[in-house]
Amino acid sequence: MDRLASVLFAVLRGLVQAACIVALTFFLCRVMPGDVVDVLGLEGGLTADQQVEMRRALGLDQPLLSQFVTWVSHALQGDFGRSLRFDQPVSDMLANALPVTLRFAFLSFAFGVGLALLLAIAATAFRSRWLDGLIDGINIWSIAVPTFCAGFAAILIFSIWLGWLPVIGGLLMPVIIIGLDNAGQIVKSLREELKEAVMLPHVRTARAKGLSPWRIAIAHVLPAAAPIMLALSGLALGGLVAGSLTMEVLFALPGIGSLTLNAIHGRDYPIILAAVTVIAVALVLINTVIDILHRLIDPRLA
Amino acid sequence: MSAPPIAVSAPRSAGRRWPVGVLLATVAVAIVALAGLVAPWLTANSPLDQDLLAINKGPSADYWLGTDHLGRDIWARLLYGARFTFGISIAGTAIAFAIGAGLGLFALALGRWSEATLYAGIDLIRALPGTLLALLLIVGLGSGTGPLIVALGISFAPLVAYVARAAFHREAVRDYVHAATSFSGGRIHVLVRHILPNIVGALVTQAAIILPRCIVTESVLSFLGVGSSPDAPTWGRMIADSSRFIERAPHAIVIPVLALVVLTLSLSVLGNDLRRWLDPVRENAGEAAEPAEIDPQLAMPR
Amino acid sequence: MIGKLLEIRDLDVIIHGRKLVDSISFALAPGETVALIGESGSGKSMTASAIMGLLPPGITMAARSAIVFDGKPLDPADETAMRPLRGRDISVVFQDPMSCLNPFMTAGAQIDEALRRLGHGDGTKRRARILELLQLVEMSDPATIASRYPHELSGGQQQRVMTAMALAAEPKLLIADEPTSALDATVQAEILALLRRLQDRLGNAMLFITHDLAAASQLADQIVVMHKGRCVEQGPTAEVLLSPKDPYTRMLVSTRTMLAELPATAPRSSAEPLLAISGLQYEYPAKRLFSKPFRAVDGISIAIAPGETLGILGESGSGKSTLAKLIIGLARPGGGDIALFGESLAARNFRLTPAMRKRCQIIFQNPYGALNPRLTIEKAMREPLELLGLSGPDDRAKLGSALADVNLTPDYLGRYPHQLSGGQRQRVCIARALLSEPSLLICDEIVSALDATVQMQVLRTLKALQQKRGFAMLFIGHDIEIVRWVSDRIAVMHRGKVVEQGEAGALVTHPVEAYTRKLVAAMPRPIA
C-alpha cells in the first residue's frame, strides 16, 4: 500500500511538473516581443487591416488566460493548432519530426550510458589507472568542448579533409558526439560511486563469505550503485535535449530540434509550444519511470 | 594528570604542489583575461569593420589571423571576443549566484515554509534542461546581451540553489549549531558565524564550475542563433557566423573553436582544483550523528 | 607447534611504510577462544583483516610475518588461495550488522548465497538448512525472518543472521570482530551468550576482538592486549585481568575497577527543584507522506534538585537525547510542561531567556561536531561569553583558568579543533559550558564516543568540578555502570517513557521493573 502510494505520488508530481513547464512556455511565447503577425507583416507586407483581421482569426486578441485555456483544451485532444507559416497541422509536423529525434536520442543515450557503464565498471573491476585516466579525459572533454564544436571538427576532418562520410543526414557522427558528451557527464560520478560501493561493509561481508568476484559484483556491488546509476541516466537525458538541438541543426536532421529552432526564429509559436510540450512530457515521463524504478529496486524505500 | 599527547593532523595546505595542469590552466586563463582587457592595444583593427575586398582570406600582414566571410579581422574579433565571452559568462554566473545562493539562503534562513515553497518551485522546472530553459527565456525576454545574461543566470541558478541547500542542511544539523543555540544565539548569529563560513567554499566552488558551463551554453545559444548580439561578438558567435563557410574558410571556425576549448578546459581544471582547496570532505564528518535523521530546519534556532 | 589451529608470528601490517600492527604473535588451539583487546586504533581489527585476507587496498603484510592456519601458511594478498578458505574454514562476524548485510537481499537469500557457494544441494535442501541455521542462532520464527529484508530486522536479529551465515559451513575458526559494539546492552549480553553456546555445540575456535574487558572475560581463555599496534601483554584471561603487569593493561583494568569505587557526592539540598518536567511529550513529524509520526517522548515526569545528579539511562531510540533537546529549547514539546528554575517554559512557548541559558548549559555526545572547525578554541570559547553578555576585559584569563579546570594548558586557546584528540575536545566543551557558571548542566552521552580510558579521565574531571562548584547534572547515558557511577538518582527510559526511577544504588541493586531487571542482568559482571 505504501509502495503504491509512493508510486502514485511520483506520477502526480510528474504531471504537475509537465503542466508547469507547458504553462511557463506558453506565457514566455506570449510575452516575446513581436508576434507572428508582425513578422509576416514585415516580410509579406500585410496591411494594418489584414493584420488586425489575422489576429482576430488566430484568437490573439483574446485575454492571455483564455487563450491558454483554449490551447490546453485543444492540446488534450491532440490538436496543437496549425503552423502559422506552413499552413499545416502542427501535430502532422511533429509526427514527421518525432521519429528522427527519437531514433537519434535513443541511439545516443544507449551509446553514451552504455559506454559510461562499461568504462566505470571496467575501471573498478581492474583498478586500472589507464582507464581512470580515460574517464577523466572524457569527463573534461564533455565539460570543455561544446558538442557543436566537436561537430565542426568532425565535419572538417572526416567529411571535408578525408571525404569519408556524408556531411549531412548520416546519424553516425552526431550519435558518437552526443554519446561521448553524455558519457563524459556521468562516467566520473559513476566511477566514484562504484569505487565507494566496493568498499561498503556488506561487500566485505560477501568477500568474507568466499563468494566469487562475479557474484560479488552482480549481487552486491551493482545493486548498491543502482540508484545512482538511475539518477545519472536521468541526468544524461537533459544533455540529450541540448544535443538534439545542436546536432539536428548542424547535420540537417529534420527532427524536433530543428523544428523548434526554425519555429523560434519564425515566431511560429504553436510549433514552439507543441514541441516544448512534447519534450517536457517525454522528459518528465522518463524521469518518473526512473523515480518509480528507484522505489522498486530499493526495499528500504517501499 | 598530564594531558595526553596532541594528535596533530597536518594542515591541509602543507606540502601542496602545483600540478602542471593547474599551472598551465592558470596561465591560459590569465592570458585570455588580459587579452580581453587590453584588446585595443593589441590590434588597431575593429572587430566589426568589414573589408569586403578581403573575404575569407588567410593570415596576412594586415590581418594576422585572416578574415571571415564579411572580411572582418579574426585577430581583432578574437581579442574583443575574449572580452565579451568572459564578460557575459561572468555576469551570467554572478546572476546565477545571486539568484541561487541569495534567494536560496534567504528562503532557508527564513524557515521551513519558505524553503519548501522555493524548492518546490525549482523542482517543478527542474525537468527542463538548462539550454532549453535559456532558449525559452530568450524567446520571452527578446534577444540582446542583457536578456542573454539574464537567461544564462536564471538557467544556472537552480544548480547553485541546490548546492546552497545541501550545504546548509549539512551544517545546520551539526552540534556546534546546537551549542550556539544553547548560548542563546539567534538564527542570524548561527547563520553568519557558523553556517556561512562553512558553506562559502562549496558555493564559490560551484560558481567556478558554472563559469565554463556558462561559456559553453552561451556558445551553443549563439550557434542556435539566439546568443550574443552582432555588436558584441563572443567566440561562440564567431563560430556560429562562420559555420556556413566551413569549407572555404576553415580557419575562421578553427581559431575561435580552439580558443573556446582552451578557455573552458582551463576553467574546468581550475574549478576542480578549487574544490580541493575550498570544499574538502570534512574529516570525521562521518561521526556526526546521522544528519539524515535530523530535520535541519528543526535544528536551527527558533 | 603441533595442535595449533592458528599461529601468528611477528605480524606487521603496513601502510605507506608505517606499521599499523607491529610484531604481533599469538596462537589459537582448536576449540579455544582468544580475545584481542584494544581501544580504537590499536590495530586489532587490522589483525583480523589480515587473517581473512581482507586488508584494504594499499595495506600489506610484511614479508617476515607468518600466519599459519591448520598447518598451512596463509598469504593475505593471494586472493585465489584465500577465497576457498573464507566462509568454509574461517568465518567472520563483523561489527554493525545493519551495514554489513546487503540491504537489497532478504536474510534468507543472503544465507542461501553462502550455502550455494558451499555446494549445498538443491533448493529444498538449502531451504531446510537455512531454517535450521536460523534455529541454531535461536530465532523463534525462522521462516518469517528468512523472508525479511535487513532493515525490517532489529539489531540483535541482524547480528543473529550474520552469525547464522558465518556458521553455515561450521568453520574451524570464527572471527568475531566487535560483534556487539553496535548493539544495545541487553542485546549485547544475548549475543555474547549465544556465541558461547554455539561454540560449545559446534566446537569452533574463536578469535574475539573487542574493546570491552568484561565481554572478553566472559568468553576468552586467552587474552592478547594491544596498544598502538603492539602487543603489550598476553596470557590466560584470569592472570592478565587479575594481575596485569603492563602499565597500559593496568590502566585498562583500573578503568573498570574504578567504577566500583563511587566518587564523593556533592551535598544535595531539598530546596525547590531546578528542573521539574511534567507529562512531557514530543513527536517527530512523519518522514514521508502517509506514515505515522514517531512519538519519541511520551509523558515524562522528572525533577532535579540543586547539586543533584540525575542519570537518564536508556538504550538507543529510548528518547533520552530528545529529552535533552526539549529541555534546552532545541525543539518544542507537543505537550506537558518544563519548569526551569521555577518558571514554566510552556507559558513562554518553550523559549529560554538568556538568563536561563546562562544557568542551564549542555554538552553533546560527539566532540568532533560540537566545535566549529573554522574557529580556534579561543573563538569557540568566547562565543558563550559574548552571547550571554559575560564578556569583560579579563576574558583571556577567564578562558585560561577554565581550561586549567579541565586539565588543559592555556596554549590550547590558539589551536583548531582538528589539532585536538577526542578527549581534549570534550574537555574544551566542558570548560566552555561551565564558563557561565550554570547551576544545571545537561550531559548528553558525553563520553560514549570516547575510548574507555579517556572516558574515565573525562568523567573524573567532571565529577571533581561538580564537587567544587556544586552544579546539578542531568547525565544521559546508555552504559549502566557509568550512569550509576556519576549519578545520585537514576531514571530508566524505555520507548519514550520513564519506566522506573529512584536512588542510584538501590535501583541497580534492587531493580523493580522487568525492563530495568533486564538491563541490570546484562550489566557486565566484575571481571574474571
Side-chain angles (χ1 to χ4, degrees):
Chain A
M1 188 59 221
D2 242 17
R3 187 172 281 210
L4 183 69
S6 83
V7 167
L8 279 178
F9 180 69
V11 171
L12 195 72
R13 197 181 52 188
L15 284 175
V16 176
Q17 261 185 348
C20 281
I21 291 172
V22 171
L24 180 76
T25 310
F26 183 89
F27 291 107
L28 280 176
C29 284
R30 281 310 192 284
V31 297
M32 74 177 160
D35 60 17
V36 67
V37 181
D38 291 331
V39 175
L40 289 177
L42 285 176
E43 287 171 358
L46 292 176
T47 63
D49 284 350
Q50 282 171 311
Q51 289 190 13
V52 171
E53 177 56 33
M54 189 167 173
R55 283 215 171 83
R56 188 179 307 134
L58 292 170
L60 291 177
D61 54 346
Q62 299 290 312
L64 263 189
L65 207 61
S66 76
Q67 285 186 46
F68 183 59
V69 171
T70 316
W71 184 84
V72 168
S73 63
H74 286 151
L76 285 176
Q77 295 157 29
D79 172 17
F80 289 103
R82 293 178 80 78
S83 161
L84 302 176
R85 297 177 71 86
F86 301 101
D87 199 34
Q88 276 184 49
V90 171
S91 40
D92 287 0
M93 296 175 76
L94 279 179
N96 288 335
L98 206 52
V100 177
T101 300
L102 280 183
R103 194 165 56 222
F104 165 70
F106 176 76
L107 288 174
S108 312
F109 185 75
F111 172 61
V113 173
L115 181 72
L117 278 176
L118 204 69
L119 280 176
I121 291 173
T124 311
F126 302 119
R127 286 209 215 120
S128 150
R129 290 217 164 166
W130 186 84
L131 278 174
D132 273 340
L134 187 64
I135 286 173
D136 276 348
I138 295 182
N139 176 244
I140 290 210
W141 166 274
S142 78
I143 295 171
V145 183
T147 49
F148 72 95
C149 290
F152 280 130
I155 290 174
L156 206 57
I157 295 170
F158 296 111
S159 302
I160 296 177
W161 292 345
L162 296 174
W164 283 356
L165 298 161
V167 175
I168 48 172
L171 271 180
L172 186 62
M173 279 202 291
V175 163
I176 289 179
I177 289 166
I178 295 301
L180 262 183
D181 192 64
N182 259 335
Q185 278 171 15
I186 63 173
V187 69
K188 187 132 193 228
S189 319
L190 213 50
R191 165 75 176 117
E192 299 289 325
E193 182 64 22
L194 283 173
K195 203 191 248 171
E196 268 171 40
V198 293
M199 303 295 282
L200 285 173
H202 80 250
V203 174
R204 185 183 55 175
T205 308
R207 288 182 68 199
K209 283 202 275 191
L211 301 181
S212 72
W214 275 109
R215 174 79 199 169
I216 294 175
I218 290 168
H220 298 275
V221 178
L222 288 182
I228 302 288
M229 289 185 183
L230 279 175
L232 287 170
S233 317
L235 204 71
L237 279 173
L240 225 50
V241 173
S244 300
L245 283 170
T246 52
M247 289 300 115
E248 285 178 15
V249 172
L250 189 62
F251 290 94
L253 300 171
I256 300 277
S258 357
L259 192 67
T260 312
L261 213 67
N262 289 334
I264 285 177
H265 289 307
R267 299 288 190 263
D268 200 347
Y269 63 84
I271 295 185
I272 305 180
L273 257 177
V276 172
T277 305
V278 167
I279 293 173
V281 167
L283 285 179
V284 166
L285 192 73
I286 298 173
N287 275 323
T288 307
V289 169
I290 286 175
D291 194 13
I292 291 171
L293 274 179
H294 184 186
R295 281 161 212 264
L296 294 182
I297 287 179
D298 195 335
R300 286 166 301 184
L301 290 178
Chain B
M1 184 178 61
S2 68
I6 319 151
V8 180
S9 61
R12 282 194 282 272
S13 51
R16 232 189 87 85
R17 296 171 294 117
W18 274 70
V20 185
V22 176
L23 205 64
L24 285 177
T26 312
V27 171
V29 171
I31 288 178
V32 173
L34 204 67
L37 282 176
V38 302
W41 284 282
L42 294 177
T43 177
N45 293 342
S46 147
L48 301 179
D49 285 349
Q50 303 180 2
D51 182 353
L52 295 178
L53 297 176
I55 285 172
N56 287 335
K57 284 284 187 305
S60 65
D62 287 342
Y63 305 112
W64 294 356
L65 292 177
T67 57
D68 68 3
H69 63 285
L70 292 176
R72 295 176 294 199
D73 182 8
I74 293 179
W75 171 238
R77 284 174 77 73
L78 198 66
L79 291 176
Y80 283 94
R83 177 182 286 189
F84 295 118
T85 305
F86 240 137
I88 287 174
S89 354
I90 288 176
T93 307
I95 288 181
F97 201 80
I99 298 177
L103 208 62
L105 284 178
F106 184 68
L108 286 161
L110 272 187
R112 184 193 305 280
W113 287 107
S114 61
E115 174 186 340
T117 314
L118 177 72
Y119 282 90
I122 297 177
D123 273 342
L124 286 179
I125 54 164
R126 185 182 50 175
L128 213 55
T131 312
L132 192 59
L133 179 59
L135 195 66
L136 290 174
L137 284 170
I138 289 173
V139 166
L141 297 170
S143 51
T145 308
L148 174 67
I149 290 172
V150 172
L152 284 173
I154 293 178
S155 68
F156 281 106
L159 284 181
V160 186
Y162 284 129
V163 170
R165 181 172 64 171
F168 180 91
H169 283 183
R170 193 185 60 206
E171 294 305 320
V173 298
R174 300 218 186 253
D175 275 346
Y176 51 76
V177 170
H178 292 157
T181 312
S182 78
F183 306 139
S184 72
R187 259 176 189 266
I188 304 282
H189 170 85
V190 164
L191 198 69
V192 171
R193 185 71 168 273
H194 294 291
I195 295 187
L196 278 184
N198 280 299
I199 71 174
V200 82
L203 290 175
V204 171
T205 305
Q206 187 61 20
I209 289 169
I210 283 178
L211 183 60
R213 298 186 56 184
C214 222
I215 293 178
V216 168
T217 304
E218 188 280 320
S219 72
V220 169
L221 292 176
S222 282
F223 171 74
L224 296 178
V226 292
S228 64
S229 55
D231 56 340
T234 59
W235 291 345
R237 173 136 199 132
M238 285 173 73
I239 302 167
D241 281 354
S242 309
S243 60
R244 275 177 297 131
F245 305 91
I246 186 167
E247 281 185 72
R248 263 181 290 161
H251 67 278
I253 274 196
V254 170
I255 291 168
V257 164
L258 284 180
L260 188 78
V261 169
V262 167
L263 180 61
T264 49
L265 192 70
S266 305
L267 284 172
S268 340
V269 169
L270 290 186
N272 273 335
D273 201 56
L274 205 61
R275 186 204 299 276
R276 254 175 292 155
W277 266 92
L278 295 178
D279 193 25
V281 177
R282 191 79 54 74
E283 34 172 350
N284 294 314
E287 294 190 37
E290 297 113 39
E293 294 291 307
I294 307 170
D295 182 338
Q297 283 292 357
L298 219 59
M300 287 290 284
R302 283 187 279 132
Chain C
M1 280 257 237
I2 294 153
K4 289 294 181 194
L5 178 66
L6 175 73
E7 203 188 338
I8 288 173
R9 281 193 304 266
D10 299 325
L11 178 69
D12 292 349
V13 175
I14 304 172
I15 179 169
H16 301 311
R18 200 162 56 84
K19 285 183 179 172
L20 297 172
V21 174
D22 189 356
S23 317
I24 296 287
S25 300
F26 65 91
L28 187 60
E32 191 187 29
T33 302
V34 169
L36 274 186
I37 295 183
E39 303 188 307
S40 56
S42 64
K44 54 189 195 301
S45 287
M46 275 300 156
T47 308
S49 300
I51 298 167
M52 288 297 288
L54 291 176
L55 287 172
I59 300 183
T60 51
M61 183 177 85
R64 68 171 188 126
S65 312
I67 299 174
V68 181
F69 179 77
D70 218 5
K72 292 178 288 286
L74 300 185
D75 178 5
D78 185 353
E79 187 70 19
T80 41
M82 290 304 300
R83 187 146 61 81
L85 290 177
R86 292 188 205 133
R88 198 186 302 262
D89 295 319
I90 314 177
S91 281
V92 61
V93 175
F94 293 108
Q95 193 179 356
D96 192 12
M98 180 65 177
S99 58
C100 286
L101 287 170
N102 186 339
F104 299 92
M105 286 169 84
T106 60
Q110 297 189 54
I111 300 175
D112 188 51
E113 200 180 38
L115 293 175
R116 228 172 350 184
R117 179 267 172 177
L118 295 167
H120 204 286
D122 62 4
T124 39
K125 235 174 119 186
R126 290 203 308 269
R127 177 84 194 151
R129 176 67 177 154
I130 291 171
L131 298 182
E132 187 185 305
L133 280 167
L134 287 172
Q135 246 151 12
L136 183 74
V137 294
E138 299 167 13
M139 280 300 209
S140 53
D141 187 0
T144 318
I145 298 290
S147 67
R148 292 258 164 91
Y149 286 98
H151 72 275
E152 299 168 325
L153 300 172
S154 72
Q157 288 171 327
Q158 288 166 355
Q159 199 56 298
R160 281 164 201 266
V161 169
M162 278 292 286
T163 311
M165 213 154 69
L167 295 176
E170 308 201 350
K172 293 179 189 142
L173 172 63
L174 178 69
I175 300 178
D177 187 355
E178 297 258 18
T180 59
S181 310
L183 306 173
D184 279 329
T186 49
V187 186
Q188 278 186 9
E190 286 167 19
I191 296 285
L192 286 181
L194 173 72
L195 286 173
R196 175 106 239 189
R197 282 197 292 275
L198 286 171
Q199 197 183 12
D200 288 345
R201 229 166 119 178
L202 303 173
N204 58 296
M206 183 151 68
L207 182 60
F208 182 63
I209 293 164
T210 185
H211 67 278
D212 184 350
L213 281 181
S217 73
Q218 278 176 37
L219 287 184
D221 306 308
Q222 302 272 330
I223 282 184
V224 179
V225 182
M226 290 183 70
H227 181 51
K228 292 185 180 164
R230 298 182 137 270
C231 165
V232 293
E233 185 163 2
Q234 60 176 303
T237 304
E239 204 174 289
V240 172
L241 294 183
L242 289 178
S243 48
K245 291 178 191 65
D246 179 83
Y248 177 74
T249 319
R250 267 208 293 270
M251 188 164 78
L252 266 184
V253 172
S254 73
T255 56
R256 297 305 302 187
T257 50
M258 209 183 91
L259 287 167
E261 311 156 17
L262 295 177
T265 48
R268 276 192 271 166
S269 75
S270 52
E272 191 192 350
L274 290 176
L275 174 73
I277 294 174
S278 52
L280 200 64
Q281 289 193 351
Y282 183 75
E283 285 184 351
Y284 280 105
K287 277 207 198 88
R288 273 182 281 141
L289 222 59
F290 314 116
S291 60
K292 281 203 193 86
F294 171 66
R295 181 162 288 193
V297 172
D298 190 5
I300 290 217
S301 302
I302 49 169
I304 303 178
E308 179 190 43
T309 304
L310 174 67
I312 302 279
L313 179 65
E315 298 183 311
S316 57
S318 62
K320 55 190 195 303
S321 286
T322 309
L323 178 65
K325 293 206 172 79
L326 292 174
I327 296 170
I328 60 156
L330 284 178
R332 195 200 320 253
D337 195 6
I338 301 172
L340 189 60
F341 311 125
E343 274 189 72
S344 160
L345 288 184
R348 46 178 69 249
N349 200 15
F350 295 98
R351 279 175 205 272
L352 277 70
T353 61
M356 286 175 174
R357 301 252 187 228
K358 221 182 277 181
R359 294 183 61 196
C360 172
Q361 279 292 319
I362 183 166
I363 308 170
F364 297 99
Q365 169 176 8
N366 178 6
Y368 296 94
L371 296 171
N372 187 335
R374 288 180 195 272
L375 301 180
T376 58
I377 301 303
E378 176 167 359
K379 281 191 186 145
M381 289 182 74
R382 273 177 190 278
E383 188 177 23
L385 290 184
E386 284 157 12
L387 287 172
L388 295 171
L390 302 164
S391 197
D394 59 340
D395 276 357
R396 227 186 128 85
K398 213 188 269 177
L399 298 185
S401 77
L403 283 182
D405 281 345
V406 293
N407 301 316
L408 293 173
T409 52
D411 50 309
Y412 279 88
L413 285 176
R415 296 194 187 155
Y416 282 91
H418 71 93
Q419 297 172 306
L420 271 59
S421 71
Q424 290 169 334
R425 291 182 213 205
Q426 202 58 294
R427 283 161 190 277
V428 169
C429 291
I430 293 175
R432 179 170 68 163
L434 293 180
L435 275 174
S436 63
E437 308 201 343
S439 44
L440 174 63
L441 187 63
I442 296 166
C443 303
D444 184 7
E445 293 260 23
I446 59 167
V447 293
S448 39
L450 308 174
D451 278 330
T453 49
V454 185
Q455 279 186 346
M456 286 320 293
Q457 289 165 1
V458 169
L459 287 179
R460 251 203 280 224
T461 311
L462 184 67
K463 231 19 208 178
L465 279 166
Q466 188 188 26
Q467 183 75 13
K468 209 163 85 185
R469 308 247 187 116
F471 50 83
M473 274 204 282
L474 182 75
F475 188 89
I476 296 169
H478 67 275
D479 183 326
I480 186 166
E481 285 177 297
I482 286 179
V483 173
R484 159 80 194 93
W485 190 83
V486 176
S487 313
D488 303 318
R489 286 193 305 120
I490 293 179
V492 180
M493 272 187 78
H494 184 50
R495 294 190 184 154
K497 290 191 164 78
V498 170
V499 292
E500 182 170 357
Q501 58 179 316
E503 290 296 318
L507 187 127
V508 172
T509 44
H510 304 292
V512 178
E513 293 299 317
Y515 178 73
T516 320
R517 280 213 296 275
K518 211 168 111 188
L519 276 182
V520 171
M523 189 166 79
R525 303 276 156 267
I527 48 180

